Amino acid sequence: MGPFYCPDDGKVYLDISFFDDLVTQLGAQGGPFAQGYVIAHEYGHHVQDELGLLQDQSTGTGAHSQSVRIELQADCLAGVWAKHAADTAYIDPPSAADIAQALDAAAAVGDDRVQQETQGRVAPERWTHGSSSQRQHWFSSGYQTGDLDACDTSGAL
Ligand SMILES: [Zn+2]
């Protein structure tokens, strides 16, 4: 099972073998910042939970579903984290290669990419997390602005 956030106990659950799967099964290049993106995404769900933004999480699937909007917002919050973690010297400022790792990982876990790899076709009506390009876009929005207000995915298409 992939990493997930559990609202009932406010914890992130992560089998670190997922980081191997990310490379061997999902085709990501991997690396520390790819892993950082994955963890920050899950903590993004905790932030959403704290802000009351996790309601209606399970409202359907599909490219325009609430599920996708919530997942893309967590990607954006992962970017916000990266920006502030660097600005506050919690982590070394990420290099262009580091950010590329995160964006590569975001693309690798995009619904269209995963569906194409596992089923040989893309079915947007079953998306739950958004496309590769959407996931990259929202991580970038968060990272470039560091601003929660940039993470309004309610109109994300
Ligand atoms: Zn998520």
Side-chain angles (χ1 to χ4, degrees):
M1 174 173 279
F4 65 96
Y5 171 70
C6 177
D8 291 338
D9 62 10
K11 290 181 177 169
V12 169
Y13 290 85
L14 179 74
D15 183 335
I16 59 172
S17 68
F18 177 76
F19 294 136
D20 293 330
D21 297 344
L22 190 62
V23 175
T24 60
Q25 292 179 28
L26 296 170
Q29 60 177 294
F33 225 74
Q35 298 179 0
Y37 156 72
V38 168
I39 297 170
H41 171 99
E42 297 307 330
Y43 277 100
H45 286 312
H46 182 65
V47 172
Q48 290 173 316
D49 197 25
E50 293 287 309
L51 296 175
L53 298 171
L54 258 192
Q55 308 127 336
D56 306 324
Q57 183 181 17
S58 59
T59 311
T61 63
H64 307 298
S65 65
Q66 181 70 2
S67 317
V68 166
R69 293 190 182 108
I70 286 174
E71 293 300 333
L72 294 176
Q73 186 174 61
D75 285 335
C76 187
L77 293 171
V80 170
W81 169 79
K83 166 93 170 125
H84 286 276
D87 286 353
T88 58
Y90 183 70
I91 58 172
D92 291 333
S95 66
D98 291 331
I99 294 303
Q101 280 180 6
L103 290 171
D104 176 70
V109 293
D111 285 325
D112 51 347
R113 174 89 69 91
V114 172
Q115 287 178 336
Q116 188 66 49
E117 297 280 326
T118 60
Q119 299 158 23
R121 62 185 282 266
V122 175
E125 70 276 9
R126 291 204 303 274
W127 286 5
T128 56
H129 285 70
S131 70
S132 296
S133 66
Q134 284 176 311
R135 301 198 72 168
Q136 291 185 318
H137 167 80
W138 285 102
F139 176 84
S140 296
S141 294
Y143 179 66
Q144 285 164 12
T145 63
D147 187 351
L148 183 64
D149 289 342
C151 298
D152 179 4
T153 56
S154 59
L157 297 177

